[in-house]
Amino acid sequence: MATTAEHRTDVDQEVRFSGGAGAATLAAAILLLVSGAALILQGIAALLKDDLFIVGVQYIYSFSLTGWGWVHVIVGILVVLSALGLFSGATWARVVAIGIAGVSIIANFLWLPYFPWWAILIIALDIVVIWALATWEPRPTTNHGRR
């Protein structure tokens, strides 16, 4: 049976998640999704019950816990949206996710005096996410009727 390529283009622009970086990108999207949800919940906790967090020594970047709650909720929403964009495999989503992960690193660095172990964990996860997204190379698949 002969097949024709009337409806096909020379190069399909479908993204392939192959190799370690591709798998790491899917993992990065999932990590961003979970991290964003956790940031939102942490922000809500800071907004509603600010006696949960212990504030140590005076810190130069001090805000009210209500302010930090809003920062975490907003950053969390942006992280979740960028993670959802990553599942599409679009280049814009990768660039946005790297930027949002950088913002998350900064926000969690400033959050260190309030909840240090959580902040360090999120910073480490964001570094892994940035590595995965920066090393991922989507390759177009060629489809010339070959098997």
Side-chain angles (χ1 to χ4, degrees):
M1 175 195 286
T3 60
T4 61
E6 295 173 10
H7 302 301
R8 295 182 183 173
T9 60
D10 286 343
V11 178
D12 292 332
Q13 293 299 320
E14 105 186 19
V15 175
R16 298 173 71 180
F17 294 104
S18 62
T25 301
L26 285 176
I30 293 168
L31 282 174
L32 275 177
L33 195 61
V34 170
S35 175
L39 281 170
I40 291 169
L41 293 173
Q42 184 178 14
I44 291 170
L47 286 171
L48 300 178
K49 195 97 163 133
D50 46 344
D51 59 343
L52 287 175
F53 300 101
I54 299 171
V55 180
V57 296
Q58 292 294 19
Y59 193 55
I60 194 165
Y61 303 110
S62 62
F63 296 112
S64 71
L65 282 176
T66 302
W68 275 119
W70 283 112
V71 166
H72 278 82
V73 168
I74 292 168
V75 171
I77 290 170
L78 294 174
V79 168
V80 167
L81 291 175
S82 66
L84 293 175
L86 277 177
F87 286 115
S88 72
T91 302
W92 65 264
R94 185 172 62 160
V95 172
V96 168
I98 289 171
I100 294 298
V103 169
S104 177
I105 287 173
I106 293 168
N108 280 288
F109 173 75
L110 297 174
W111 181 249
L112 275 169
Y114 299 95
F115 213 154
W117 289 109
W118 178 257
I120 290 170
L121 174 69
I122 297 298
I123 289 169
L125 289 175
D126 286 336
I127 289 170
V128 170
V129 165
I130 289 172
W131 169 83
L133 296 175
T135 59
W136 174 47
E137 294 180 25
R139 294 187 183 110
T141 58
T142 57
N143 196 355
H144 297 287
R146 293 184 223 145
R147 292 186 180 193

